[in-house]
């Protein structure tokens, strides 16, 4: 079976327009969360990308007015990733888009774009047109594991020699649709969310686009290999996670089996950590069942909010960065143990020897995802 690697990447978020800016902001402990007001639901806290800054950045690209905010975010992320691989024919690259809601804001009456743009197929066609791709990108939309699952799809296509390389891009917006949906569950936090912490009250919604190059060619420096991945659905409830963590437990187990390693060999976990009462509790149970309660663990949700279809991909990129830099990032918002099973929460950003990282994600409908990354050493 071919080896598959993660290589260069780009993150466009409220914390920065490049991966480097984002890494620096998270290192400094900055949060993208700000207070906003909506006539539909009153005050709320979220992480939004400045339209002005986005427009400035897009100026150097062509025909800005033809693209929605989400499309611009994704195009900027993909353009930077492709720039490093101009010599590779696009026929050898599969393009995969991860999103949960796409251009859902196009359904609003005041939106200048056609309601047709809300269809995920239209989002794919816009990116195909912009980059002059020979094939329409694949769209992966499976709730909050979409970004990670899209990388799994890329891995399989490369392992099967259908393609040699992939560009995976994930993105979602802070929209009235999403906000009112989570508000109806009474799941929105009043301030910056506090994953796994005792006084957590819910999530923040955020927006971002992230893109990564997935390839069969081993990078010359700092090679990060995908050694195992899996997804499992516990079919517990349309929105509520399994009380036993079964789907997440199975996902990690299967990923470990593919990688041929033991759970004890994992050096670091990037958890889903939405800061809702039920999700964080479910994850703590699953990690204990797996014997991972002592493994250093964090959640990035207090930095970015829950970026939905982008979240697992954005956090996977940070897992890649952690391995390359031997650095773990503080789990912002964590104050004291808030789950029935204690976890080894990362409470400060620091350097630490790392070889293997686990990224997990869970989402509505019972879906769960796990991916193992390994740093190759000479």
């Amino acid at each position: 079976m071919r080896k598959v690697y993660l290589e260069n990447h780009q993150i466009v978020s409220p914390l920065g327009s490049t991966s480097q800016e984002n890494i620096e902001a998270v290192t400094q402990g900055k949060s993208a969360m700000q207070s906003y007001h909506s006539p539909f639901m009153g005050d709320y806290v979220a992480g939004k990308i400045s339209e002005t800054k986005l427009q400035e950045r897009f100026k150097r690209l062509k025909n800005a007015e033809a693209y929605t905010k989400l499309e611009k975010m994704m195009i900027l992320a993909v353009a930077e990733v492709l720039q490093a691989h101009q010599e590779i024919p696009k026929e050898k690259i599969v393009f995969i888009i991860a999103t949960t809601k796409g251009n859902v804001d196009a359904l609003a009456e005041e939106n200048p774009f056609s309601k047709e743009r809300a269809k995920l197929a239209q989002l794919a066609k816009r990116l195909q047109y912009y980059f002059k791709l020979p094939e329409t990108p694949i769209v992966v939309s499976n709730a909050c594991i979409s970004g990670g699952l899209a990388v799994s799809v890329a891995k399989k296509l490369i392992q099967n020699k259908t393609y040699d390389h992939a560009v995976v891009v994930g993105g979602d917006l802070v929209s009235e649709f999403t906000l009112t949906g989570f508000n109806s569950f009474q799941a929105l936090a009043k301030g910056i969310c506090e994953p796994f912490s005792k006084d957590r009250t819910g999530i923040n919604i955020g927006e971002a686009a992230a893109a990564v190059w997935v390839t069969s060619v081993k990078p010359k420096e700092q090679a990060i290999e995908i050694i195992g991945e899996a997804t499992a659905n516990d079919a517990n409830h349309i929105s509520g996670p399994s009380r036993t963590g079964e789907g997440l437990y199975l996902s990690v187990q299967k990923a470990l089996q593919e990688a041929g390693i033991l759970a004890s060999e994992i050096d670091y976990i990037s958890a889903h950590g939405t800061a809702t009462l039920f999700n964080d509790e479910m994850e703590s149970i699953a990690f204990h069942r797996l014997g991972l309660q002592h493994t250093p663990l964090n959640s990035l949700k207090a930095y970015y909010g829950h970026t939905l279809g982008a979240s697992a991909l954005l956090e996977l990129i940070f897992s890649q960065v952690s391995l390359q830099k031997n650095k773990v990032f503080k789990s912002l918002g964590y104050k004291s143990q808030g789950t029935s099973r204690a976890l080894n929460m990362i409470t400060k950003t620091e350097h630490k020897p790392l070889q293997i990282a686990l990224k997990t994600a869970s989402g509505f409908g019972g879906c769960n995802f796990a991916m193992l990354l390994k740093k190759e050493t000479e």
Side-chain angles (χ1 to χ4, degrees):
M1 204 51 101
R2 269 175 146 185
K3 289 188 174 183
V4 180
Y5 302 91
L6 299 180
E7 204 187 69
N8 64 308
H9 47 77
Q10 187 73 323
I11 299 170
V12 178
S13 84
L15 291 180
S17 299
T18 66
S19 289
Q20 189 55 42
E21 289 176 4
N22 278 270
I23 294 164
E24 289 172 3
V26 170
T27 300
Q28 293 167 19
K30 293 181 180 178
S31 173
M33 297 307 106
Q34 293 186 31
S35 297
Y36 297 92
H37 181 80
S38 161
F40 294 95
M41 49 179 286
D43 296 329
Y44 65 94
V45 175
K48 294 185 181 182
I49 295 175
S50 162
E51 291 270 13
T52 305
K53 287 184 180 178
L54 186 64
Q55 197 66 18
E56 280 295 316
R57 181 98 197 279
F58 206 84
K59 271 184 181 177
R60 64 187 179 86
L61 302 177
K62 57 195 175 187
N63 202 13
E65 66 281 354
Y67 298 94
T68 66
K69 182 179 184 180
L70 178 62
E71 289 160 5
K72 289 174 188 172
M73 290 158 52
M74 287 186 165
I75 287 169
L76 285 167
V78 170
E80 291 298 326
V81 169
L82 280 178
Q83 184 69 26
H85 305 281
Q86 296 179 68
E87 75 286 358
I88 297 175
K90 288 176 181 172
E91 292 77 16
K92 292 184 176 292
I93 308 169
V94 60
F95 288 77
I96 305 176
I97 296 171
T99 187
T100 62
K101 298 303 175 193
N103 287 312
V104 69
D105 54 328
L107 297 176
E109 292 300 327
E110 67 276 12
N111 193 283
F113 294 94
S114 162
K115 288 181 172 55
E116 187 77 5
R117 294 290 277 275
K119 295 179 179 177
L120 299 187
Q122 289 297 316
L123 173 61
K125 288 183 190 306
R126 287 287 158 177
L127 266 68
Q128 179 185 17
Y129 174 79
Y130 185 90
F131 290 108
K132 297 182 170 56
L133 305 179
E135 297 178 354
T136 305
I138 296 168
V139 176
V140 174
S141 185
N142 189 7
C144 301
I145 72 168
S146 300
L149 190 59
V151 178
S152 293
V153 171
K155 169 181 167 283
K156 289 180 170 66
L157 290 170
I158 291 170
Q159 284 181 328
N160 293 332
K161 300 184 179 180
T162 309
Y163 294 91
D164 296 323
H165 318 278
V167 174
V168 180
V169 59
D172 264 306
L173 298 173
V174 174
S175 66
E176 293 285 357
F177 181 94
T178 306
L179 286 167
T180 52
F182 278 100
N183 194 46
S184 70
F185 291 143
Q186 297 181 327
L188 293 179
K190 298 297 183 185
I192 298 176
C193 68
E194 301 177 2
F196 298 103
S197 202
K198 181 180 178 181
D199 296 323
R200 67 188 186 278
T201 57
I203 71 172
N204 303 132
I205 303 297
E207 61 188 17
V212 67
W213 182 259
V214 188
T215 179
S216 61
V217 179
K218 182 180 176 179
K220 293 178 181 178
E221 296 179 358
Q222 296 185 311
I224 303 297
E225 182 189 354
I226 302 171
I227 59 171
E229 46 79 25
T231 182
N233 194 302
D234 53 51
N236 176 70
H237 187 267
I238 194 168
S239 62
S242 164
R243 299 302 172 93
T244 63
E246 187 66 14
L248 183 56
Y249 172 80
L250 290 172
S251 296
V252 177
Q253 261 204 335
K254 289 177 181 178
L256 287 168
Q257 287 168 7
E258 182 187 357
I261 66 169
L262 301 173
S264 58
E265 295 179 68
I266 297 170
D267 299 308
Y268 157 66
I269 302 168
S270 172
H272 192 52
T274 60
T276 61
L277 291 174
F278 293 128
N279 173 86
D280 293 8
E281 176 67 9
M282 178 277 288
E283 288 192 85
S284 75
I285 292 169
F287 291 136
H288 265 254
R289 289 179 64 188
L290 290 155
L292 291 169
Q293 63 268 31
H294 301 302
T295 306
L297 173 149
N298 70 3
S299 164
L300 297 184
K301 295 297 191 293
Y303 294 99
Y304 291 99
H306 193 337
T307 55
L308 307 177
S311 63
L313 178 54
L314 187 157
E315 292 158 14
L316 188 67
I317 290 170
F318 265 91
S319 300
Q320 176 187 356
V321 170
S322 285
L323 289 177
Q324 291 171 329
K325 293 181 177 292
N326 286 310
K327 187 177 188 178
V328 291
F329 297 96
K330 175 183 177 179
S331 195
L332 191 66
Y334 180 78
K335 295 171 183 172
S336 60
Q337 182 185 330
T339 54
S340 63
R341 278 80 164 174
L343 297 169
N344 184 10
M345 301 300 301
I346 298 168
T347 56
K348 64 178 180 178
T349 297
E350 62 181 349
H351 285 92
K352 185 184 290 286
L354 300 174
Q355 191 72 31
I356 296 174
L358 168 65
K359 172 64 201 142
T360 63
S362 302
F364 284 177
C367 57
N368 295 273
F369 159 84
M371 181 169 281
L372 288 160
L373 304 180
K374 182 178 181 180
K375 177 170 57 185
E376 285 204 359
T377 53
E378 297 300 330

